[in-house]
Amino acid sequence: MRHCVPRRAAWRSNFTSAAAVGVLVLLLFAARRVWLAFTTSTASSSPIAKLSRGEQMVRSGLWDELTAATSHYPGEKVSGGIFLYKRQTSMLSRLLEEMASEHEQSGRRVQVCETGFGAGHSTALWLASHPLVDVLVFDNFDRAYQRECLEVLEASFPGRVTHVEGDTCKTVPGYQAAQGGF
């Protein structure tokens, strides 16, 4: 597997800006609140009551649709699988819900940038977490099932998922340069 390592100077300049520090602090505080709520929760005994909004939506059929789309391509190895890590799925979904809820008053959207689409399970989770969440996906889209999975998500969440096709070592920095950031 090839890994790309961004030049240090480019990343250093991005992470030293006051805005990036502010976002990081916001993320840390939101993560702490979510962790405390998660670990001290006394939710009802119903399994669905313990699930976040995003988890409820994707488990009610959206992940099944994605899995069905991959089944049309027998022999094709399916990548990804955030659903295999239930605690991570719950924590990330709740964190994203918390962040998006804080943006509701201003109407500002929350953008998740994801490298690697797989079959779209994590993209589905992010989109299902809150109506103000948009997802920007970078991937080669070289697996047979990926286009069909992307179409499922585009139909379920119109205008909220954007994909950039190609080698992420090139497309991520290229997108950032062209757009002036994320």
Side-chain angles (χ1 to χ4, degrees):
M1 177 184 261
R2 190 181 87 169
H3 297 283
C4 54
V5 179
R7 290 185 318 205
R8 223 180 227 167
W11 285 92
R12 190 178 313 125
S13 66
N14 288 339
F15 284 108
T16 57
S17 71
V21 171
V23 168
L24 181 59
V25 169
L26 176 67
L27 276 170
L28 290 173
F29 278 115
R32 182 176 178 272
R33 280 197 305 269
V34 168
W35 175 252
L36 289 173
F38 185 75
T39 57
T40 60
S41 171
T42 56
S44 76
S45 59
S46 166
I48 199 76
K50 296 177 184 177
L51 298 177
S52 68
R53 173 185 187 165
E55 290 173 290
Q56 289 177 33
M57 186 167 181
V58 295
R59 289 186 183 182
S60 69
L62 189 55
W63 277 354
D64 292 337
E65 285 184 59
L66 295 172
T67 301
T70 64
S71 70
H72 298 149
Y73 305 91
E76 185 78 21
K77 184 179 178 190
V78 177
S79 66
I82 190 169
F83 52 85
L84 297 172
Y85 307 98
K86 293 181 183 354
R87 183 166 282 179
Q88 176 185 359
T89 301
S90 182
M91 293 281 299
L92 291 172
S93 179
R94 290 172 193 269
L95 176 62
L96 191 53
E97 285 177 23
E98 178 87 19
M99 288 176 59
S101 293
E102 291 177 7
H103 285 66
E104 276 182 318
Q105 295 299 328
S106 66
R108 285 183 39 213
R109 303 199 64 78
V110 176
Q111 184 172 27
V112 175
C113 294
E114 183 172 42
T115 56
F117 181 74
H121 291 91
S122 57
T123 302
L125 180 67
W126 312 143
L127 292 166
S129 292
H130 199 281
L132 288 177
V133 173
D134 298 324
V135 179
L136 172 62
V137 178
F138 296 89
D139 195 289
N140 280 328
F141 288 91
D142 55 357
R143 293 180 175 90
Y145 58 83
Q146 288 184 299
R147 298 235 182 261
E148 187 172 341
C149 292
L150 184 62
E151 289 170 7
V152 167
L153 294 177
E154 288 173 335
S156 298
F157 304 98
R160 293 183 48 207
V161 60
T162 304
H163 73 282
V164 178
E165 190 172 327
D167 178 353
T168 58
C169 292
K170 296 175 184 162
T171 57
V172 172
Y175 183 91
Q176 184 180 19
Q179 300 295 321
F182 293 103

